[in-house]
Amino acid sequence: MLYRQRLAWGALALLLAATVGVAQEPIRPDPVRSGRDFQAPETRAMQDDDGANPGMLWVARGRALWDEAVGAARRSCASCHGRADETMRGVAAQYPRVDPSSGRLLNLELRIQQCRGERQDAPVPRFESDELLALTAYVAHQSRGMPVAVSVDGAARPFFDAGRAAYFQRIGQLNLACTHCHDANWGRMLRGDRLSQGHGNAYPAYRLDWQAVGSLQRRLRFCNTGVRAEPHPFGAAEYVALELYLAWRAKGLTVESPAVRR
Amino acid sequence: MRGLDQQSLLGRRALLAGAAAGLAWPVLRVRPVAATPASAKAAMDEILKGREPTPGRVKLDIPVLADNGNSVPMSVRVASPMTASDRVRSIHVFADGNPLPVVGHFHLGPRAAKAEIATRIRLATTQTVVALAVMADRSVWSDALRVEIVLSACLDD
Amino acid sequence: MAQALVKIQAQAKRGEAVEVRALIQHPMETGFRRDDMGKPIARDIIREFVCTYAGEEVLRAELQPAIAANPFLVFHVLATESGEVAFRWTDDKGVVQSESARLTVS
């Protein structure tokens, strides 16, 4: 325990020292590296093998849900979208994306909730429910291996700017921004974790700590409480904008969902 | 939605942990009372029934430094031709630092091709894992491995 | 019950050792945890997994809370004749989940 505490103090000192001279510029990490590279070999092996990756259970459930007729009109996702491996290929790589009709920035979860609620006339699945995670993982999985490619221009620009500002904003009692850990210190150890560059291309991902699949926002809430800042509620506009900035930063990486993380 | 409740609980704990350690990251975890090696021995005795296990023939494979105690890959391989008369009947795995010492009993039936199983296990803390193999001739062979856990599994969160 | 996934090749040569990987979605609740209100969370685990092939047992596993959530098992079937490989998981509440696959042996 003493050893742990000393490590913690050391890590904090290291972070604060590193804050000097961090530019407030929208920089991309160079070279860009997936969070997978910072995982233990066993964890990487688990992600790489579909027969061993527990995240594939959520994908399989999502595949079943895709064809299930629900709601007043007894429509399934397939009734409108047909085969997911054709119509959803590459979609997740472009999210978050501005919904032209409402002008809102939607991540994949919000988009699926919208289809469930408005187009299927069915109950909207809650954030982090198995149903929403399974559908999201299934749709995201159709883009696995495809490069992350979001639009940050036009209607998306104000959201991108907000996300970027949030990324560099110091928050919480520890007064740290995302950039202090994920730009200035990636590759270093923080307690039991090796800090990655903080990309979102893994999600929805299976985390050993969660013993389940969870969303990118669940991960972001952890990063907030870690610096003793109040997390936003799931689906908050602040997080969706941050997701857009993260996707822009992840240029050069491919969608890995469902990845496996510690 | 137990996962989320758990998370907010972690949030509160994190605050306490942070006050003690100066950093709220990550959470301090509470460990359940570990099985005493005596209870591990009692659990093994149920299989051994007075026999002495001989070290050898069994190969237990686990990363000696496991990243997360919630899910540690483990495999057990036993040197055996797996013929009708010369084969492994069962494999038994124990963890002496877990709240319950038995991890699992694996019975290999007539259609098992190899004396081998792999799974993922929970290890509450740094401890010794033991594998026993019971042969068709009733002899028992064993292997043991000390496994260090980087951060304990949250068995009691 | 839950979502299960089994990976096994469809064809094999007689005498071949065929690898099986079986995954099932299950929290494997240990019975040692407490909820937000401090109440113990009841144990809920898959206590038994059985695989049979052409009616005969390949593996019978008695699982304990020390098996990780979403239990994963790898083992080998001895290909002897064309037949059904059946998988059965039973949890603490007695709920049974079954899957099967056909193995063609030449």
Side-chain angles (χ1 to χ4, degrees):
Chain A
M1 193 42 66
L2 255 177
Y3 172 65
R4 282 241 176 99
Q5 287 186 8
R6 217 173 298 133
L7 240 174
W9 277 111
L12 181 62
L14 176 151
L15 289 173
L16 293 178
T19 58
V20 188
V22 170
Q24 303 276 303
E25 294 299 309
I27 39 160
R28 284 183 169 121
D30 182 27
V32 63
R33 284 177 64 189
S34 165
R36 180 188 171 283
D37 295 359
F38 301 87
Q39 299 295 309
E42 312 89 78
T43 313
R44 292 201 297 262
M46 208 191 283
Q47 170 173 333
D48 294 347
D49 176 355
D50 280 354
N53 180 347
M56 292 307 289
L57 290 165
W58 276 257
V59 172
R61 172 122 180 79
R63 179 180 303 123
L65 288 169
W66 181 265
D67 288 320
E68 206 174 282
V70 295
R74 307 302 301 161
R75 268 194 294 251
S76 70
C77 313
S79 317
C80 295
H81 292 293
R83 290 178 55 124
D85 58 354
E86 288 163 8
T87 63
M88 290 293 141
R89 206 175 136 65
V91 168
Q94 298 168 18
Y95 269 73
R97 188 168 166 178
V98 176
D99 173 17
S101 51
S102 67
R104 278 176 70 205
L105 182 72
L106 300 182
N107 66 5
L108 211 49
E109 286 88 347
L110 289 164
R111 174 58 102 182
I112 292 169
Q113 283 185 331
Q114 185 191 62
C115 277
R116 255 300 193 242
E118 294 171 15
R119 302 199 174 89
Q120 287 180 299
D121 226 343
V124 173
R126 285 175 306 120
F127 289 108
E128 302 309 291
S129 63
D130 250 14
E131 183 186 355
L132 187 58
L133 288 169
L135 282 166
T136 311
Y138 179 57
V139 171
H141 187 63
Q142 308 307 320
S143 299
R144 189 165 68 165
M146 299 179 74
V148 176
V150 285
S151 159
V152 298
D153 299 321
R157 194 71 207 181
F159 298 105
F160 174 77
D161 290 340
R164 183 181 60 191
Y167 187 86
F168 288 94
Q169 179 68 50
R170 287 173 176 276
I171 54 167
Q173 287 181 42
L174 296 187
N175 204 28
L176 291 171
C178 317
T179 189
H180 296 130
C181 284
H182 294 299
D183 289 313
N185 283 296
W186 61 263
R188 299 221 174 103
M189 291 301 287
L190 183 58
R191 286 257 185 105
D193 280 314
R194 188 170 292 283
L195 278 170
S196 73
Q197 295 176 346
H199 297 299
N201 61 321
Y203 294 82
Y206 188 90
R207 263 193 83 200
L208 304 183
D209 250 357
W210 296 336
Q211 308 186 57
V213 163
S215 70
L216 176 54
Q217 293 200 3
R218 186 170 177 194
R219 173 68 248 186
L220 297 183
R221 287 169 61 95
F222 246 73
C223 281
N224 285 163
T225 52
V227 296
R228 282 188 258 156
E230 189 60 42
H232 299 293
F234 281 101
E238 288 89 342
Y239 279 150
V240 186
L242 196 47
E243 282 186 46
L244 180 64
Y245 180 71
L246 292 183
W248 174 85
R249 265 181 96 237
K251 186 180 173 176
L253 296 180
T254 58
V255 176
E256 285 178 19
S257 182
V260 181
R261 296 288 183 264
R262 177 169 185 272
Chain B
M1 203 56 252
R2 190 179 296 141
L4 291 182
D5 298 341
Q6 204 179 313
Q7 207 183 351
S8 55
L9 180 74
L10 290 182
R12 276 207 307 279
R13 282 235 180 96
L15 270 166
L16 296 176
L23 178 67
W25 195 283
V27 169
L28 292 180
R29 287 156 202 273
V30 180
R31 284 174 197 160
V33 182
T36 60
S39 72
K41 192 178 170 304
M44 278 183 235
D45 282 345
E46 281 188 32
I47 303 301
L48 292 170
K49 297 191 175 79
R51 290 168 293 190
E52 246 338 284
T54 314
R57 289 184 71 172
V58 181
K59 175 92 174 66
L60 180 61
D61 208 354
I62 311 181
V64 287
L65 182 72
D67 215 21
N68 189 302
N70 280 334
S71 178
V72 183
M74 175 202 79
S75 72
V76 183
R77 263 163 228 245
V78 190
S80 162
M82 289 305 269
T83 57
S85 56
D86 185 359
R87 58 190 292 112
V88 175
R89 290 237 185 277
S90 57
I91 293 170
H92 309 266
V93 182
F94 305 88
D96 70 5
N98 271 1
L100 294 174
V102 180
V103 172
H105 301 297
F106 305 89
H107 306 273
L108 300 174
R111 298 296 176 120
K114 292 188 184 180
E116 215 177 288
I117 56 113
T119 185
R120 295 192 278 251
I121 67 174
R122 289 176 169 142
L123 295 175
T125 180
T126 295
Q127 58 184 296
T128 301
V129 178
V130 176
L132 300 179
V134 180
M135 307 292 176
D137 68 1
R138 313 294 298 144
S139 66
V140 185
W141 299 77
S142 70
D143 192 16
L145 211 65
R146 181 98 186 141
V147 181
E148 198 178 317
I149 301 296
V150 175
L151 215 116
S152 313
C154 45
L155 288 172
D156 199 20
D157 271 328
Chain C
M1 195 213 247
Q3 185 72 48
L5 275 177
V6 174
K7 292 245 177 211
I8 176 173
Q9 68 205 49
Q11 266 135 29
K13 293 235 159 17
R14 194 176 312 277
E16 190 181 332
V18 176
E19 188 188 71
V20 177
R21 328 182 119 224
L23 256 180
I24 187 164
Q25 191 177 15
H26 200 283
M28 293 297 277
E29 193 56 62
T30 59
F32 299 117
R33 303 198 310 161
R34 288 170 184 276
D35 68 12
D36 251 353
M37 310 308 292
K39 267 203 350 241
I41 303 171
R43 187 184 114 146
D44 176 18
I45 69 164
I46 290 179
R47 53 169 72 168
E48 190 187 64
F49 167 80
V50 181
C51 170
T52 56
Y53 166 42
E56 285 204 78
E57 215 165 85
V58 180
L59 173 71
R60 183 166 55 85
E62 298 170 52
L63 307 181
Q64 292 284 333
I67 298 294
N70 307 303
F72 175 57
L73 281 164
V74 185
F75 52 95
H76 293 82
V77 174
L78 181 64
T80 49
E81 70 212 88
S82 295
E84 192 191 54
V85 187
F87 308 90
R88 200 182 70 223
W89 295 261
T90 309
D91 75 7
D92 272 341
K93 298 175 188 131
V95 180
V96 174
Q97 166 87 11
S98 303
E99 293 286 328
S100 72
R102 175 133 190 108
L103 183 64
T104 304
V105 176
S106 59

